[in-house]
Amino acid sequence: MEIMEIRETIENSKTDAELRPILEECRHKQNSLCEQLTASFDDDIHKTRHLTACLQYWNRIEETILEKITEV
């Protein structure tokens, strides 16, 4: 649900100033997920797969934001 809400917010954003906080949150989430992934490799393959999927979502959000920033 969170991803859908963020995508909607991005879609409705009209300025860089509206997008930058979302981009910062996105990068924070990506860093956190990378740390969790590093820790999960040795212990739990299912958790690793889940975290990888989450990281892919956040990477796509970052790409969308960067595309929109260059359009604005």
Side-chain angles (χ1 to χ4, degrees):
M1 189 64 148
E2 178 184 19
I3 300 294
M4 291 173 55
E5 291 170 0
I6 291 172
R7 288 200 168 276
E8 184 178 333
T9 302
I10 293 167
E11 178 89 19
N12 295 330
S13 297
K14 305 264 189 272
T15 65
D16 284 1
E18 294 173 319
L19 293 168
R20 297 243 177 241
I22 303 168
L23 181 60
E24 289 302 314
E25 177 187 351
C26 177
R27 289 182 173 161
H28 175 73
K29 294 261 189 186
Q30 288 171 315
N31 289 335
S32 175
L33 285 166
C34 285
E35 290 172 9
Q36 292 176 54
L37 270 168
T38 301
S40 74
F41 272 113
D42 294 331
D43 299 330
D44 187 352
I45 191 67
H46 298 292
K47 182 177 180 179
T48 303
R49 287 180 181 162
H50 173 74
L51 292 170
T52 301
C54 290
L55 184 58
Q56 289 173 329
Y57 285 124
W58 287 103
N59 284 339
R60 287 188 206 119
I61 286 173
E62 179 184 36
E63 290 172 4
T64 303
I65 293 170
L66 292 174
E67 286 174 10
K68 184 135 182 167
I69 286 175
T70 59
E71 290 174 6
V72 174

